[in-house]
Amino acid sequence: MFYDAHKRDHGFKVDPLKSLIVPRPIGWISTVDPEGRVNLAPYSFYNAVAEFPPIVYFSTTGTYGDTATKHSRMNAESTGEFVVNMVSESLKERMNITTAMFAYGIDEMKEAGLTPAPCRYVKPPRVAESPMALECRYWKTIELPIEPGNEKNAGSMVFGQVVGVHIDESILKNGRVDVAAFKPVARLGYSEYTTTDNVWAMRRPDDPRYQ
Ligand SMILES: Cc1cc2nc3c(=O)[nH]c(=O)nc-3n(C[C@H](O)[C@H](O)[C@H](O)COP(=O)(O)O)c2cc1C
């Protein structure tokens, strides 16, 4: 089959596009507002885009609450900081609680029964239960093109530079991160998720770093 992405004439009840760009890592973004109130929310339009310096982004789609854009973006922009926490399999239900549309200023970390742990270089706390956290300094926001008739769902990309990295000792083995030890959760389409528990290696012929 083929469908026109603009007309969305696929004939299905649910647009299949997000089911085709999978699996997507989940950035579990913790921020504070200018009053220091904690916010935590998952974003699967998230990834690393550069290494030197390390840059990550999360991308917001519209809003559905009490503010003009999503709280994570507002806080990252107003305070200049955010933290990306890793969702391991054991945290999946608690991650799901933090996606709910809480009013601005409500602490989702507390609502989900998670423990705040201090960061070194930035004010937002990281999730203590998470096996990995990236402390980020906000860089810039890119407003994405607006689709006529869908203005409320306009997107934006919020970029940050990683300035500090926390790794729980339990996921380190012989100087390497052992993915099998924490099973990162990734987003598929619809309400589906997957867990990374099938790891295999394939060496690049031209890169001695990975031999
Ligand atoms: C696994 C998962 C991934 C999500 N990814 C995104 C995303 O990439 N962009 C987005 O705008 N919302 C995403 N959401 C919805 C947000 O988590 C939700 O709108 C949340 O309330 C935003 O919180 P905030 O306003 O405190 O930032 C996702 C939800 C879940 C459960």
Side-chain angles (χ1 to χ4, degrees), residues 30-160:
S30 50
T31 51
V32 289
D33 72 7
E35 292 174 39
R37 298 178 299 181
V38 175
N39 192 85
L40 179 67
Y43 285 82
S44 71
F45 287 153
Y46 150 74
N47 221 313
V49 287
E51 277 185 279
F52 308 106
I55 303 285
V56 296
Y57 77 92
F58 65 93
S59 191
T60 67
T61 303
T63 184
Y64 58 86
D66 51 352
T67 48
T69 185
K70 295 207 172 175
H71 304 160
S72 305
R73 171 182 166 180
M74 287 170 58
N75 290 349
E77 290 177 340
S78 58
T79 64
E81 298 172 340
F82 65 90
V83 177
V84 181
N85 302 275
M86 164 66 68
V87 181
S88 53
E89 182 157 52
S90 60
L91 295 170
K92 61 182 191 253
E93 281 90 6
R94 280 179 277 180
M95 176 280 293
N96 203 32
I97 294 171
T98 66
T99 190
M101 193 177 58
F102 290 102
Y104 190 51
I106 298 295
D107 180 347
E108 290 93 349
M109 216 181 272
K110 205 173 184 178
E111 295 295 323
L114 295 158
T115 317
C119 280
R120 291 263 184 110
Y121 299 144
V122 300
K123 272 189 240 69
R126 62 192 171 89
V127 173
E129 290 82 355
S130 180
M132 182 291 290
L134 308 175
E135 299 188 11
C136 301
R137 283 209 199 291
Y138 171 75
W139 176 47
K140 69 159 82 168
T141 303
I142 294 182
E143 304 286 358
L144 297 172
I146 294 173
E147 184 173 272
N150 228 339
E151 290 78 5
K152 276 179 69 181
N153 290 319
S156 71
M157 297 173 81
V158 180
F159 291 87

